[in-house]
Amino acid sequence: MSLSLDKLRLLRRQAGDATAAPASGPAIAAGRGSAADDTGAPGDTGSTPLPPAANDARARTPAPASVFGWVEQEIRHKPTGAAAREAAPAVPAVPAPAPALRKPEIGGLRRLLGLRDRGLSTAPPRENAKDRHVPGEEIAPGLFLIESFVTQAIPTEPLSLAFAKREGEQVQPQDLLFFDTETTGLAGGTGTRAFMIGAADWHTHPERGDGLRIRQLLMTTMAAETAMLREFAGWLQPSTVFSSYNGRCYDAPLLKTRYRLARQRCPITPLDHVDLLFPTRRRYRGTWENCRLATIERQLLQIVREDDLPGSEAPAAWLNYLRGGSAVNLRRVAEHNHQDVVTLALLMRRLVAEEQRDRETLALQAIDAV
């Protein structure tokens, strides 16, 4: 930006400086070292040349008290261009120091890594939440194991998988593991996790005899997920065959994702899986209003649940407990999950029996036709 002496004098008069001389002559741009106004250069019609003695006397006078006078003196006498470069002292080029590295914030890194490293303590209970009892035994900080046993006969022969369109394949009853999960939502993705895993298998109890053993893992803190996944992996053997209801499309992929995020070896991928939803749909589609597990229980297996909490309300029950709420609905979630895995075992036997009866009927019809 340039500022001429004439403009400066005009500003001084507008500011009430009575000593400001009237503006005259051509404007001298700021930053130029010309002394045309002092020497009477051609084109300066309103200025009178000053003798050298006057110039020396003006140079010896102290700086004017007015800020305008100081600026005017700077404009008139400040060397510019080549003269300024010759007058300026040589300054060695010093490289700018490298910016200091920012020290990482541990708290921020932990937040980026997720919830796995957070504290183990749950939220303080609310004043109106008197019932905080969680069923089962705490086997790790924030992880509870719920065990129960239903006495029933174990199939004595291998179960045919022909009902699942797997001709000639059989599975040993003790190798089957019926499982179901309760999750924080149905959308899937890395933000969804299983807060409960229920599993049932045919087992011979040393005191109660043959029956269905039900084991459920319930985590009451976010940090207990690693221990829950490790405990569930310990239940599996190389000969284990999963059985679920839509677990091949939902439960199993969800658990695989959680194992990867926890940086644990996934024990689910190499194991066989028999999903009961698809053969149930093939056999009973159109018979009832839908093929949901609750409908199959009621219509096919004649099981009626009492005071059952719908699966869609399970996420809210668990989150409410984490925020210090009551554990009443959380226990209802455990009961719902318990009945799901028991139903899977009954449905498996029913599908095997129905397929066997259909094949026997076809064989008899073939004999009669001959």
Side-chain angles (χ1 to χ4, degrees), residues 55-79:
N55 287 336
D56 296 340
R58 184 181 60 184
R60 289 193 298 268
T61 56
S66 172
V67 66
F68 292 104
W70 178 83
V71 173
E72 180 179 350
Q73 183 176 346
E74 287 293 318
I75 294 175
R76 295 172 66 89
H77 299 287
K78 182 177 180 181

Side-chain angles (χ1 to χ4, degrees), residues 65-270:
S66 172
V67 66
F68 292 104
W70 178 83
V71 173
E72 180 179 350
Q73 183 176 346
E74 287 293 318
I75 294 175
R76 295 172 66 89
H77 299 287
K78 182 177 180 181
T80 60
R85 289 192 294 270
E86 293 176 358
V91 179
V94 179
L101 295 178
R102 181 180 177 185
K103 185 178 181 180
E105 182 185 356
I106 301 301
L109 292 176
R110 288 179 177 174
R111 287 192 295 272
L112 290 174
L113 291 175
L115 303 173
R116 197 177 306 120
D117 294 333
R118 292 189 178 181
L120 301 179
S121 59
T122 59
R126 301 175 187 171
E127 295 181 359
N128 59 350
K130 299 181 180 179
D131 189 350
R132 296 278 296 174
H133 172 67
V134 177
E137 175 188 0
E138 189 172 15
I139 59 176
L143 180 64
F144 287 79
L145 173 63
I146 308 170
E147 294 184 291
S148 57
F149 192 83
V150 177
T151 302
Q152 60 179 238
I154 300 177
T156 57
E157 298 180 357
L159 300 179
S160 173
L161 298 181
F163 70 92
K165 301 298 182 180
R166 297 171 59 172
E167 298 292 338
E169 297 186 35
Q170 295 180 335
V171 59
Q172 296 294 332
Q174 289 82 357
D175 290 338
L176 283 168
L177 185 72
F178 306 96
F179 84 105
D180 183 52
T181 64
E182 305 298 334
T183 66
T184 58
L186 299 177
T190 57
T192 304
R193 66 185 69 207
F195 66 87
M196 174 177 285
I197 303 176
D201 60 337
W202 280 300
H203 178 72
T204 301
H205 194 277
E207 298 178 359
R208 305 181 62 177
D210 295 343
L212 194 66
R213 176 179 58 178
I214 300 97
R215 292 173 290 179
Q216 298 168 277
L217 293 171
L218 168 64
M219 64 179 195
T220 58
T221 63
M222 293 286 191
E225 182 182 32
T226 300
M228 180 181 70
L229 295 175
R230 188 178 297 113
E231 180 69 18
F232 181 67
W235 296 354
L236 309 180
Q237 303 295 330
S239 60
T240 299
V241 177
F242 286 116
S243 184
S244 64
Y245 203 80
N246 199 33
R248 182 182 289 276
C249 298
Y250 182 76
D251 301 86
L254 174 63
L255 290 179
K256 292 177 183 179
T257 300
R258 302 315 304 180
Y259 274 107
R260 284 194 295 269
L261 293 177
R263 296 187 177 183
Q264 298 185 27
R265 184 187 65 84
C266 178
I268 298 176
T269 302

Side-chain angles (χ1 to χ4, degrees), residues 3-10 23 27-28 37 72 75-76:
L3 179 66
S4 67
L5 286 175
D6 289 341
K7 292 182 180 179
L8 178 62
R9 290 165 185 164
L10 180 60
I28 300 178
D37 288 342
E72 180 179 350
I75 294 175
R76 295 172 66 89

Side-chain angles (χ1 to χ4, degrees), residues 275-295:
D275 198 321
L276 302 182
L277 171 63
F278 305 105
T280 301
R281 279 179 176 173
R282 284 194 296 269
R283 179 173 289 273
Y284 300 108
R285 179 184 287 123
T287 304
W288 302 296
E289 64 273 19
N290 56 58
C291 288
R292 296 175 53 193
L293 187 60
T295 303

